[in-house]
Amino acid sequence: MRWKMIEVIRYMSAFFIPGLLVLLFTRVTYNRVIGLVLTVSLIAASVYKGYTDTFSLIVIDAFSLTAGFWLAAKMKLPNNHAKVKE
């Protein structure tokens, strides 16, 4: 029973966390491509260390990355060229 709960947590984390990381890094760097690259590098390190060991987890990570990248494109970033009222 305990192992099934751990698997559910792993799959739910794979579904939400990569997309949220893309949004977070996009917000911090103001560039959605850099946010995506940073998140992919974290997931690649996770796969390398053996934390993401099944193909289904990798597919769910990829889906979440795609959804996060799409949401980052829809997210309104601050306009650096806004006119300042004097």
Side-chain angles (χ1 to χ4, degrees):
M1 180 70 175
R2 179 181 170 158
W3 291 108
K4 288 189 179 205
M5 190 61 160
I6 290 174
E7 288 298 314
V8 168
I9 291 171
R10 285 178 67 190
Y11 280 91
M12 293 301 289
S13 296
F15 190 71
F16 289 110
I17 291 177
L20 292 175
L21 282 174
V22 171
L23 291 175
L24 173 74
F25 289 143
T26 299
R27 190 67 182 160
V28 170
T29 62
Y30 298 112
N31 189 335
R32 66 186 177 122
V33 175
I34 292 176
L36 180 69
V37 168
L38 288 172
T39 307
V40 167
S41 65
L42 284 175
I43 291 176
S46 168
V47 171
Y48 179 74
K49 292 294 277 184
Y51 299 118
T52 306
D53 54 357
T54 63
F55 183 71
S56 59
L57 277 175
I58 295 170
V59 169
I60 293 171
D61 280 340
F63 173 76
S64 181
L65 285 170
T66 305
F69 190 70
W70 180 76
L71 285 172
K74 299 293 180 187
M75 185 172 58
K76 189 170 189 162
L77 294 175
N79 188 0
N80 292 337
H81 303 290
K83 294 181 181 177
V84 178
K85 293 183 180 179
E86 295 179 12

